[in-house]
Amino acid sequence: MNLSCLLCYQASPTPVCQWCEEDLFFFNSTLHGDNLLRYGPVGGHVKHSHYSSLSVLGLHTWPMSSLVHQFKFTHTVAAGKALSNWFVHKKRHCSLPLPHILLPVPISVWRLAKRHYNQAQVIAHVLSSALHIPVAPNWARRRGWQAQHMLSKAARQANAKQAFRLTKTSIDHDYSQAQKRQEQLRVAIVDDVITTGGTVNVLSKMLRARYPDIDVQVWAMTFTPPPKSTLLTNQ
């Protein structure tokens, strides 16, 4: 097939050519650890009182941010699949236990109608296929219309508390099955971008309120560092 790189547009047998891939910042298990909540420049910035671990592919800076933008706003699903496949490789070399189920962050009905797909759900299904972990696409709902990336840090937190709710049955079946096995249910909330952690923290709180002994992980493709983060100088 005659393909071109999504970043430099030169001929490439893969969605991102090897030269552009070398320019991407990927979090490294040896340097940053498998759980980024324990890595100061990330864990010290995001809200994480209700989930136990955070796994992120890379920084939401150029050129990786271009792939996320293409995926979310120009219907370039290939960009999302490229990010997902890199994340799969990361998870296959990760010391953290895999979850029993993947929970994509929901988007509002009006945004789904405009975009025609939920980017977190696309990511989750790629990960599910590669890692053999089922997806629960209807575990939660999002109300309203205001996008989180348009809000301040404080407004994100307030908006997330009002925007999301668990569905009536959510993950009841998976939870009851884990209870029968006398096993703690592990879930991973899947999203494209983590900025303040407010959204996933609120969703984690809702899950743990209904399912008290659940273990919640968060999986994301990118992390948006604050303006003065040391991560921006160490790329």
Side-chain angles (χ1 to χ4, degrees):
M1 296 179 63
N2 184 22
L3 300 176
S4 60
C5 175
L6 293 170
L7 295 173
C8 70
Y9 308 111
Q10 300 299 310
S12 171
T14 56
V16 177
C17 71
Q18 66 180 79
W19 295 279
C20 285
E21 185 173 341
E22 290 175 358
D23 288 334
L24 297 172
F25 176 97
F26 294 102
F27 284 108
N28 181 285
S29 295
T30 302
L31 295 176
H32 311 110
D34 287 325
N35 183 358
L36 291 177
L37 296 183
R38 299 174 182 170
Y39 179 61
V42 177
H45 177 66
V46 298
K47 291 184 176 296
H48 59 271
S49 53
H50 297 287
Y51 56 98
S52 63
S53 65
L54 173 63
S55 298
V56 182
L57 178 65
L59 285 183
H60 193 72
T61 53
W62 193 90
M64 192 171 287
S65 58
S66 175
L67 294 175
V68 175
H69 186 273
Q70 291 179 57
F71 180 36
K72 292 178 71 169
F73 301 113
T74 69
H75 295 83
T76 309
V77 177
K81 290 183 177 179
L83 293 166
S84 303
N85 288 331
W86 286 326
F87 192 90
V88 166
H89 177 77
K90 177 184 180 69
K91 273 297 159 185
R92 284 176 173 161
H93 297 83
C94 179
S95 62
L96 297 175
L98 290 176
H100 298 106
I101 190 166
L102 302 177
L103 309 177
V105 172
I107 60 175
S108 62
V109 173
W110 75 268
R111 188 168 290 280
L112 182 61
K114 182 178 180 180
R115 189 174 294 161
H116 304 299
Y117 58 86
N118 174 356
Q119 70 277 4
Q121 192 164 319
V122 172
I123 291 168
H125 280 294
V126 175
L127 303 182
S128 171
S129 178
L131 299 172
H132 309 292
I133 305 171
V135 179
N138 300 312
W139 68 286
R141 292 282 185 270
R142 178 165 187 165
R143 297 169 288 190
W145 59 270
Q146 196 162 22
Q148 287 287 88
H149 71 274
M150 301 294 290
L151 304 175
S152 67
K153 185 173 182 178
R156 284 170 186 263
Q157 183 74 2
N159 183 62
K161 290 179 179 179
Q162 299 178 8
F164 296 99
R165 64 176 176 83
L166 299 185
T167 57
K168 184 177 180 179
T169 57
S170 191
I171 56 170
D172 286 359
H173 176 73
D174 300 277
Y175 184 74
S176 63
Q177 291 299 307
Q179 293 287 89
K180 290 178 181 178
R181 298 191 303 266
Q182 297 184 327
E183 182 179 20
Q184 183 184 38
L185 182 66
R186 294 189 303 273
V187 303
I189 297 175
V190 179
D191 207 358
D192 54 348
V193 183
I194 294 290
T195 301
T196 65
T199 294
V200 293
N201 200 50
V202 165
L203 288 169
S204 299
K205 183 178 181 179
M206 292 177 179
L207 283 169
R208 294 184 64 191
R210 186 180 292 187
Y211 311 105
D213 58 346
I214 198 172
D215 178 61
V216 183
Q217 305 176 10
V218 172
W219 290 7
M221 298 302 102
T222 63
F223 164 69
T224 305
K228 296 182 180 180
S229 173
T230 56
L231 289 168
L232 296 173
T233 59
N234 293 333
Q235 288 190 68

